[in-house]
Amino acid sequence: MPFAFYVMTILDPTFYTRSTLSVAREMLGKIFFRRYEGETLTGRIVEVEAYHEEGDEAAHSCIGRRARNAVMFRAGGHLYVYFTYGMHFCMNVVTEGEGVGAAVLIRGIEPLEGIDVMRRLRGYPRREYDLTNGPAKICQAFGIGRAENGLPLDGTLVGIADAPPVARKRIAVSSRIGITRSRELPWRFYLSGNPWVSRGRPSHP
DNA sequence: CAGTCGATGTACT
DNA sequence: GTACATCGACTGG
């Protein structure tokens, strides 16, 4: 209920067309918004990873522009959705200017509104944090797939609503998860101790 | 609890 | 052929 009393201010392109690492850090605590079959689904972003074509061998964009990663090269403020492991989708927020292949992967979200819909889309997991504590789980819970690749984050179908900045002390930094190349880069940011962060156990069961 | 492993489609070597 | 920005089921302690 706390969130329902705020007036939603959907972040505009100026938020996204900046340094990818800055956008990644500042996305923590913001509210991801999704309109799905007449329902509103929202959740607080608690874990992200940055990817950039320069100096990052793990970024899809590091090989240059291709059909699959084309959206990464668009101007900041679009949704980049990709299919992986033959069955999962993951979603990113495109950053920086047109022609730069950079994005921020959303890996952890704390559900706020539309939780019943998320439960149904996820097949009713037993543990509450299994709803959205991973990039592919998030896409399933929010009904994100191929059709959403390239959508503008303008609040029509998807968007991110502003929220007060998170205290620096709450933000943890680490290397990214599930990659082999460029794994030394400390480009993963998350809210320390939050149960919806992928991996790492919830504080209290 | 941690560790292992199969599923299953697609892009790239 | 192989790797893949993952997940869930299964094992053993």
Side-chain angles (χ1 to χ4, degrees):
Chain A
M1 58 200 75
F3 180 65
F5 291 100
Y6 285 84
V7 175
M8 290 223 311
T9 305
I10 295 292
L11 295 169
D12 60 72
T14 62
F15 177 83
Y16 303 100
T17 53
R18 298 181 294 135
S19 143
T20 303
L21 290 177
S22 298
V23 175
R25 279 186 292 258
E26 291 173 34
M27 277 172 61
L28 293 176
K30 302 281 188 269
I31 311 300
F32 181 74
F33 168 92
R34 162 74 165 147
R35 195 77 184 154
Y36 176 79
E37 293 184 351
E39 309 268 3
T40 295
L41 315 178
T42 67
R44 186 162 176 255
I45 298 169
V46 301
E47 179 187 0
V48 296
E49 285 177 358
Y51 289 86
H52 200 290
E53 63 171 316
E54 281 185 46
D56 177 12
E57 301 274 310
H60 291 163
S61 51
C62 76
I63 58 171
R65 189 183 192 128
R66 297 284 198 291
R68 168 161 104 137
N69 62 19
V71 173
M72 277 188 85
F73 290 85
R74 288 204 206 165
H78 293 267
L79 199 68
Y80 167 51
V81 181
Y82 68 88
F83 181 71
T84 190
Y85 288 106
M87 62 188 83
H88 298 302
F89 292 98
C90 296
M91 71 168 171
N92 300 249
V93 159
V94 177
T95 58
E96 313 223 9
E98 168 85 38
V100 179
V104 176
L105 172 72
I106 302 181
R107 290 191 57 92
I109 282 186
E110 175 178 343
L112 293 176
E113 292 180 78
I115 297 179
D116 294 341
V117 176
M118 297 185 202
R119 274 201 261 267
R120 173 167 58 80
L121 291 176
R122 286 281 298 132
Y124 304 98
R126 295 177 59 253
R127 303 191 277 352
E128 198 66 8
Y129 53 79
D130 275 325
L131 235 34
T132 48
N133 66 342
K137 296 177 185 177
I138 289 171
C139 281
Q140 200 174 21
F142 282 83
I144 304 284
R146 259 181 252 281
E148 285 68 39
N149 187 33
L151 284 182
L153 289 158
D154 59 4
T156 305
L157 291 173
V158 291
I160 297 179
D162 202 3
V166 172
R168 293 171 72 102
K169 312 175 65 166
R170 301 291 322 285
I171 300 180
V173 183
S174 82
S175 52
R176 296 170 294 178
I177 291 185
I179 57 163
T180 53
R181 298 170 299 172
S182 294
R183 74 173 170 296
E184 70 282 358
L185 295 178
W187 287 3
R188 173 178 179 241
F189 307 96
Y190 59 98
L191 295 187
S192 189
N194 188 289
W196 284 272
V197 171
S198 70
R199 309 202 180 184
R201 297 271 65 79
S203 311
H204 84 88

